[in-house]
Amino acid sequence: MGKYLIRGGKPLTGEVRISGAKNAALPVLAAAVATKGENIIEACPEISDVDNMISILEALGCRIARYGTSIMINASELTECRIPDELMKEMRSSVFLAGSLLARCGEAVISSPGGCNIGKRPIDIHIKGLKSLGAEIEYSGDKIYIKSGNMKGAYIRLDYPSVGATENLMLAATAAEGTTVIDNSASEPEINALQDYINMCGGRVSGAGTGRITICGRRKLTGCEYRMIPDRIEAGTFLLMCAGTEGDVCLKGVVADHIRPLIEIVRAGGSRISTWDDNLRICSTAAGRVKCSVDTAPYPGFPTDLQSQLTAFLTVKGEDCIVRENIFENRFRYAKQLIKMGADIEISQKEVIIKGNNILYGCDVEAEDLRGGAALVIAGLMAEGDTVLNNTKYIKRGYSRFREKIQKLGGEIREDGQ
């Protein structure tokens, strides 16, 4: 499972480069299945979720080669349309392959996707959209058999702006005859990334970021060279880590607009934040307390993937704060670990109230999901004394060289046995 040994109380200083975006890399890697020819995907994060996606692609018959953070994918000789159960259950993002396999092979066999235990994440919206395109769906046990049938472009209005469903339908629609419109689509930067990749491969997709995406189907997709966008969640995590330890850090490779709601919250507490080019500098040496009421929401609202980290930050640097989770119903599991560390908070089903005790003490804690694990690292770096964080496997799903980057900034963190 792995564990981090963290000693708190030391401000982070220096500079660190943010990795490519996990939530953009996985759908782009899945989309490569729909292409013929060589793809070079640059700035891919070195995380276990990417490792798992590569294992799935290899099982489907793709040729893969890795050169540091660059990945070569060639799906020209695809041999399989069935995703192995044991690999699909490792992560939820494998569901994206349904759309790309439909586009390439005309069929796909998937099972219930895995991932972090943060609540119900049904794929009903995906299935409903695929049916609107004319796909034929059959269920057998935990298997879902999807065939393209005679897929034609359609108008699809999503019941909820689901990121995963938007991306899956974008991929499937590339093979549908005619034009598809996805209304009430997700607007996250990762949607723009997938649109850019598809278009560089020869597709014709427009509207990403507007809530209404148009896809012209039946266009031949070939490989391309594509560079991953920066990871806004990693950038936000390091921003909170620096602010929580009263540090002075320059984050390189950041799109500040992607984390604008978080920047405004941290600035409200007195941290000085400046941005230029793709750099963001935060100086929190004289910052005060933050008072805020935050609701998670689809982009451009406050991201659910930063809710855990923000709450950890506020346990020390906040006062009379409320954080509400509106996306997933089981994303406060980490909060009980914060209480073990002395956090003065109240937990209900959908919100955490931070009263303002402002002192955490190191102890043994358990990571139970990716972002909750990152939150506990932030808490450990802010706490008095030593923290032992168990189950680091969750953190390694989504943060590339996390420990090494924190150490580079002067944080006292090491891996058990290191």
Side-chain angles (χ1 to χ4, degrees), residues 63-82:
R63 289 193 292 111
I64 309 285
R66 300 184 74 166
Y67 312 94
T69 59
S70 294
I71 300 176
M72 187 285 293
I73 306 170
N74 193 321
S76 297
E77 299 177 5
L78 208 67
T79 58
E80 184 60 74
C81 65
R82 179 190 298 264

Side-chain angles (χ1 to χ4, degrees), residues 191-207:
I191 303 295
N192 293 72
L194 182 59
Q195 172 180 280
D196 291 346
Y197 170 75
I198 293 172
N199 289 342
M200 290 177 69
C201 291
R204 187 183 295 173
V205 183
S206 61

Side-chain angles (χ1 to χ4, degrees), residues 30 49 85 96 157 159 225 227 234 243 285 300 312 321 340 379 400:
D49 267 11
D85 290 353
F96 300 133
R157 179 172 178 81
D159 297 331
E225 293 189 16
R227 185 171 186 83
E234 181 183 318
T285 54
C321 299
K340 284 178 62 177
S400 180

Side-chain angles (χ1 to χ4, degrees), residues 249-284:
V249 169
C250 179
L251 304 179
K252 305 183 74 65
V254 174
V255 180
D257 281 345
H258 290 178
I259 55 170
R260 188 62 60 189
L262 177 62
I263 289 173
E264 297 309 315
I265 291 170
V266 175
R267 270 186 176 151
S271 293
R272 300 190 301 278
I273 299 176
S274 56
T275 61
W276 69 99
D277 299 328
D278 67 345
N279 302 294
L280 182 152
R281 183 186 175 190
I282 173 170
C283 180
S284 294

